[in-house]
Amino acid sequence: MILLGAILMLNCKNHKSVSKNEGADDKVEVPKDLKIVLGSGGGFTGKWQGYTIYADGTLERWEGRWAEQNPVVLEKKLSTDEVYEIWVKIEALDFFDDKTRETGNKISIFEVSTGNLKNRVTWVSGVEGRTEPKHKVESFYWNINHIINRVIE
């Protein structure tokens, strides 16, 4: 258990870049190699579309036969504060421990990677505003989509 704690502490130390003070001594830091992929696809057409977010706020829009195919870097970026808030929520959700892997005709994905940590959660896509989120990541996914749409429009 002590070894696991030491490994986790070292991993966190190796991925610092963007930080924001929470209190006098507390600091939550966004890993400099953070990559977030969110999107949906499948169905009759097999088409996928979504976004990739990087630690510096860079946004890519992608569309194709699989996630992250044909990425286009967008001119607008998320702010440091927006990326920070997303990272804080990812940690609060214990995202890297979530092993949800639903499959179906059309699914949504939410993937986060940093350093040696990587996790992808998939669920059968609902319709925002019409169906209740079935998974804790699903409502977070819609919130991030709203942030992205507000920034790029």
Side-chain angles (χ1 to χ4, degrees):
M1 189 60 94
I2 293 172
L3 180 61
L4 178 61
I7 291 170
L8 289 174
M9 286 177 22
L10 284 173
N11 187 42
C12 290
K13 283 186 173 186
N14 290 333
H15 300 290
K16 295 179 183 179
S17 74
V18 181
S19 65
K20 187 169 183 174
N21 288 324
E22 286 191 327
D25 297 326
D26 296 338
K27 212 188 264 190
V28 174
E29 301 198 4
V30 176
K32 64 183 175 188
D33 62 349
L34 177 66
K35 179 180 173 186
I36 302 167
V37 177
L38 63 152
S40 62
F44 177 74
T45 65
K47 181 179 172 181
W48 282 82
Q49 58 187 14
Y51 297 95
T52 302
I53 303 169
Y54 296 92
D56 68 353
T58 298
L59 289 168
E60 290 177 346
R61 177 182 285 143
W62 46 263
E63 186 174 319
R65 300 288 289 167
W66 60 82
E68 296 189 274
Q69 184 182 24
N70 305 315
V72 174
V73 177
L74 303 178
E75 289 181 27
K76 297 186 179 178
K77 296 170 78 169
L78 296 181
S79 70
T80 302
D81 286 343
E82 288 165 328
V83 175
Y84 170 81
E85 293 301 328
I86 291 169
W87 177 247
V88 168
K89 183 67 174 177
I90 287 167
E91 288 188 319
L93 288 172
D94 292 324
F95 179 77
F96 290 104
D97 294 329
D98 191 330
K99 302 303 177 206
T100 303
R101 303 284 189 280
E102 288 184 9
T103 60
N105 188 36
K106 185 169 181 180
I107 63 168
S108 294
I109 61 166
F110 190 82
E111 178 180 291
V112 180
S113 59
T114 175
N116 61 351
L117 293 174
K118 183 175 183 177
N119 191 36
R120 176 183 275 200
V121 170
T122 63
W123 64 94
V124 175
S125 301
V127 179
E128 184 190 19
R130 291 188 171 175
T131 55
E132 282 293 315
K134 294 180 283 180
H135 189 274
K136 63 184 178 181
V137 174
E138 187 174 2
S139 57
F140 181 46
Y141 168 93
W142 287 116
N143 289 339
I144 293 173
N145 270 296
H146 286 291
I147 292 168
I148 292 170
N149 288 327
R150 187 183 72 239
V151 168
I152 63 176
E153 292 177 359

